[in-house]
Amino acid sequence: MANDWIKESVVYQIYPLSFNDSNDDGIGDINGIKEKLPYLKNLGIDVIWLSPVYQSPMDDNGYDISNYYEINPMFGTKEDLIDLIKETHNQGMKLIMDLVLNHTSDEHVWFKEAKKSKDNPYRDYYIWSDTPNDITSVFSGSAWTKDILTGQYYFHLFSKKQPDLNWQNSALRHEIYQMINDWLDLGIDGFRLDVIDLIGKDVFNKKLSDGPYLETFLKEMHEACFKGRDILTVGEMPGLSLERAAYLTKEEDHLLSMVFQFDHISLDEQPGKGKWELKPLDLLDLKRVFKRQQEVYEKQGWGSLFWSNHDQPRAVSRYGSVNQRVLSSTMLHTLLFFQRGTPYIYQGEELGMTGYRFKLEEFKDIESINYYKEALALGINEADILKSLHQKSRDNSRTPMQWDDTKNAGFSNGTPWIKVNPNYKEINAANEQQDKNGVYHYIKKLLQLRKEKNVVKEGHFTPLDETSSQIFSYQRKTSNETLVVICNFTNEALTYDLSTYQSYELLLTNQPITNDHCLSPYQAIVYYKENNHGNH
Ligand code: NOJ
């Protein structure tokens, strides 16, 4: 489980390609990030998570690493990164790197060697078979690709340019541990570990997530790299059960500080049909998932709180309303960020940035492009494919950060690598910072309150209005403090008795309370009181 500073921290995810371009080549870079550190500090951020900046052919935007030790020149140099770490520390924040350990790029020297012959010393760093089974890739098609030279197939759960590493090879594991230690020695404050639930897999028995060796390898990695270091580690573990996640983050072992799971954000998918076949979100499902998470993590481990990331469309477009952007995004963050766990903000969420309806030829993401081709071949009509892509494509959240209303939203003077959302004239950091009633200032205030009130860290979670499919409300309570969060998840005014909370302080609300028997559309209210012992 997490140390105290981790429990009190707020993490901000930067997707470097789209954050800030300092040299006008249309691609965000490390020096661009450095320029914006004061902006992040001002927002109240404690930890920055950088999506991968390692050397990579960028088949999957950096999640295909060809050299773990080097920086991709499009982002800058290793000196730039060392400087960024130093500057981040100078400004009182920490920096964690993304690390992709389940697979490398096919351009990594290990794979180049492995491909040379069946008896190459690196052959066993990857997973090979003469007879591929029917496992499919997350990015469409078979997870096996034939290597022409040796006639064997190699395994890749993602693109064919991302061969999976064979973690059962101990030499490989120790090379990885060495590399992790080298980064930590350089001053990094931890890692976000990409699909780390997959490293213990047994491909031949089709056990992928939480495979038979996961715990052994995590323990070994912890012993070899993390133990005794005051760092934050967050494991992306999409396939793990909640109980296992809590177990792997438990205080006694501290194998990982916390994990990312996706139960709460796959509720708008039709069960068992993957990410592209959608259904409307039922608030009762969301309440059930959050309640269970809160209950499990109260007993053991520590959780993460997030709505969006570089793989997930922006929450305001997905669950809120673009027309009620400020109200619905502030409501969504209130609902989530007063729960137990460490909050994560994905770049632009603090501005209420929205998704963008890309034209077909504008999509950049390999997953979207492969899905389009596969769906078309299956006879799905183009309009339906586009509808799914508009809702779920990862490109939605990858449009450049909207800094101001100048050319390309102030992101770059060059040609941005991906379309800038045209709504940047209205939605941008400069406007938001001036607007005391906007999303930015609300989130900033919310983050301050989280820090001030111990009940947010420790309080027991009790759901309120449990059967309501329109209102999400809950109480957090310690022996000293009580906090009540009430959120109208709909675009309608709802009858609700707020007079019950007369004795509470109104800690936060995203719009004035007009009537103590009514919640306005997307209203979020947080009440607080110190418990008066002996006088209930
Ligand atoms: C999860 C990452 O978040 C995603 O962007 C990537 O495509 C896959 N893992 C594969 O590395």
Side-chain angles (χ1 to χ4, degrees):
M1 183 164 80
N3 304 332
D4 266 1
W5 71 262
I6 294 173
K7 290 186 182 174
E8 285 156 18
S9 287
V10 177
V11 186
Y12 188 94
Q13 183 192 353
I14 291 184
Y15 195 62
L17 275 173
S18 303
F19 192 63
N20 187 31
D21 177 14
S22 73
N23 62 355
D24 294 335
D25 62 356
I27 293 168
D29 46 50
I30 293 171
N31 288 334
I33 297 170
K34 208 166 83 184
E35 285 171 14
K36 299 294 183 185
L37 291 176
Y39 167 86
L40 298 177
K41 183 69 186 167
N42 192 271
L43 178 61
I45 298 307
D46 305 288
V47 181
I48 295 168
W49 149 27
L50 272 196
S51 276
V53 290
Y54 311 91
Q55 206 174 76
S56 162
M58 302 300 273
D59 189 51
D60 185 19
N61 291 1
Y63 285 89
D64 47 322
I65 298 174
S66 52
N67 187 331
Y68 287 102
Y69 288 94
E70 295 300 332
I71 298 301
N72 189 332
M74 66 165 58
F75 294 125
T77 63
K78 198 151 183 182
E79 286 65 46
D80 293 336
L81 187 76
I82 292 171
D83 205 38
L84 177 70
I85 302 169
K86 216 189 297 159
E87 210 25 62
T88 307
H89 289 166
N90 285 344
Q91 299 197 28
M93 296 181 285
K94 296 182 188 272
L95 191 130
I96 67 170
M97 305 261 290
D98 218 311
L99 197 51
V100 188
L101 300 177
N102 174 66
H103 44 270
T104 63
S105 160
D106 65 341
E107 296 182 30
H108 193 290
V109 64
W110 294 338
F111 193 69
K112 286 188 185 161
E113 282 297 314
K115 268 190 354 182
K116 286 185 178 162
S117 68
K118 287 186 182 172
D119 56 9
N120 186 284
Y122 289 96
R123 184 76 172 181
D124 191 46
Y125 274 29
Y126 295 88
I127 300 164
W128 300 89
S129 176
D130 293 322
T131 49
N133 59 20
D134 60 357
I135 299 178
T136 52
S137 154
V138 174
F139 293 161
S140 306
S142 170
W144 296 93
T145 289
K146 191 168 185 173
D147 169 51
I148 306 300
L149 190 66
T150 60
Q152 280 194 314
Y153 294 77
Y154 66 90
F155 184 76
H156 57 88
L157 208 44
F158 296 91
S159 99
K160 57 174 186 267
K161 285 186 65 62
Q162 293 168 293
D164 278 48
L165 287 165
N166 174 21
W167 268 74
Q168 291 179 47
N169 182 303
S170 130
L172 161 83
R173 295 202 305 278
H174 287 90
E175 283 209 53
I176 287 181
Y177 302 152
Q178 179 64 51
M179 177 270 295
I180 293 179
N181 279 325
D182 286 357
W183 276 109
L184 289 168
D185 291 344
L186 213 66
I188 293 294
D189 300 295
F191 293 103
R192 178 263 189 192
L193 299 159
D194 189 71
V195 286
I196 199 73
D197 59 328
L198 294 174
I199 61 171
K201 63 184 166 280
D202 175 354
V203 169
F204 300 101
N205 286 307
K206 297 201 219 170
K207 184 78 188 111
L208 298 177
S209 172
D210 202 4
Y213 313 101
L214 178 67
E215 203 174 324
T216 312
F217 295 158
L218 283 179
K219 280 189 174 144
E220 189 181 76
M221 186 179 353
H222 180 262
E223 193 67 32
C225 311
F226 303 153
K227 195 174 168 182
R229 300 198 196 241
D230 191 18
I231 55 169
L232 187 160
T233 52
V234 48
E236 190 204 24
M237 301 213 169
L240 213 72
S241 75
L242 178 58
E243 284 71 17
R244 287 278 291 153
Y247 169 78
L248 293 176
T249 57
K250 70 182 192 296
E251 191 146 20
E252 303 86 83
D253 310 337
H254 199 181
L255 285 186
L256 295 169
S257 315
M258 67 192 107
V259 304
F260 289 136
Q261 294 196 290
F262 300 88
D263 289 351
H264 65 298
I265 43 174
S266 37
L267 296 170
D268 60 356
E269 292 165 7
Q270 292 187 34
K273 295 204 175 159
K275 78 177 263 183
W276 303 106
E277 296 197 35
L278 303 172
K279 67 180 185 67
L281 171 72
D282 180 343
L283 184 62
L284 292 172
D285 288 339
L286 188 68
K287 289 164 92 161
R288 181 180 41 77
V289 168
F290 279 142
K291 179 182 169 196
R292 221 168 77 74
Q293 283 177 3
Q294 294 292 300
E295 281 172 359
V296 169
Y297 283 125
E298 264 182 39
K299 294 198 200 96
Q300 179 169 256
W302 187 252
S304 57
L305 305 169
F306 69 97
W307 281 123
S308 308
N309 61 33
H310 64 291
D311 294 331
Q312 298 293 332
R314 295 186 176 279
V316 61
S317 300
R318 195 166 168 188
Y319 311 115
S321 154
V322 174
N323 297 330
Q324 294 274 34
R325 192 180 61 79
V326 175
L327 293 178
S328 62
S329 49
T330 49
M331 180 278 290
L332 286 167
H333 283 95
T334 313
L335 184 162
L336 186 65
F337 282 0
F338 283 100
Q339 296 187 38
R340 170 188 293 254
T342 297
Y344 286 73
I345 297 180
Y346 177 67
Q347 63 183 44
E349 274 190 292
E350 76 282 14
L351 309 176
M353 271 177 64
T354 63
Y356 169 64
R357 292 178 72 78
F358 286 85
K359 297 195 192 83
L360 210 45
E361 63 280 10
E362 290 171 339
F363 284 102
K364 298 283 182 202
D365 179 25
I366 182 168
E367 183 193 47
S368 299
I369 293 167
N370 286 359
Y371 166 69
Y372 173 75
K373 288 185 198 149
E374 188 180 69
L376 211 56
L378 287 171
I380 303 178
N381 76 58
E382 198 166 291
D384 287 340
I385 301 175
L386 207 55
K387 190 170 167 224
S388 295
L389 286 173
H390 281 150
Q391 281 172 292
K392 289 300 274 291
S393 168
R394 306 193 297 181
D395 282 336
N396 272 299
S397 58
R398 298 178 178 184
T399 59
M401 182 73 177
Q402 293 165 207
W403 294 108
D404 56 39
D405 64 2
T406 64
K407 185 181 160 202
N408 299 326
F411 161 71
S412 171
N413 289 317
T415 306
W417 71 279
I418 192 170
K419 184 93 185 173
V420 178
N421 193 323
N423 66 16
Y424 73 88
K425 296 262 175 206
E426 180 209 346
I427 307 171
N428 60 62
N431 278 354
E432 280 286 330
Q433 281 175 297
Q434 271 164 29
D435 180 2
K436 289 281 173 218
N437 296 316
V439 184
Y440 178 91
H441 284 282
Y442 186 91
I443 302 263
K444 185 173 168 169
K445 176 88 204 249
L446 194 164
L447 300 183
Q448 272 163 9
L449 291 171
R450 267 192 68 94
K451 294 220 163 93
E452 280 164 33
K453 306 295 182 200
N454 191 48
V455 64
V456 184
K457 192 170 76 181
E458 303 290 351
H460 171 63
F461 177 93
T462 309
L464 305 173
D465 306 302
E466 255 193 296
T467 56
S468 169
S469 56
Q470 297 180 302
I471 294 165
F472 194 119
S473 51
Y474 55 90
Q475 183 195 63
R476 302 285 312 279
K477 191 168 185 172
T478 61
S479 54
N480 300 322
E481 302 167 282
T482 306
L483 184 109
V484 174
V485 175
I486 303 165
C487 291
N488 179 353
F489 209 81
T490 75
N491 197 7
E492 295 158 41
L494 301 174
T495 304
Y496 196 83
D497 184 10
L498 296 170
S499 63
T500 331
Y501 299 106
Q502 256 160 17
S503 63
Y504 285 68
E505 175 191 342
L506 176 62
L507 201 63
L508 188 65
T509 178
N510 62 355
Q511 55 195 301
I513 298 173
T514 48
N515 169 338
D516 69 3
H517 283 83
C518 177
L519 291 177
S520 301
Y522 295 118
Q523 183 143 37
I525 301 176
V526 184
Y527 288 116
Y528 171 82
K529 75 169 178 185
E530 283 176 14
N531 301 335
N532 191 351
H533 295 287
N535 175 11
H536 298 284

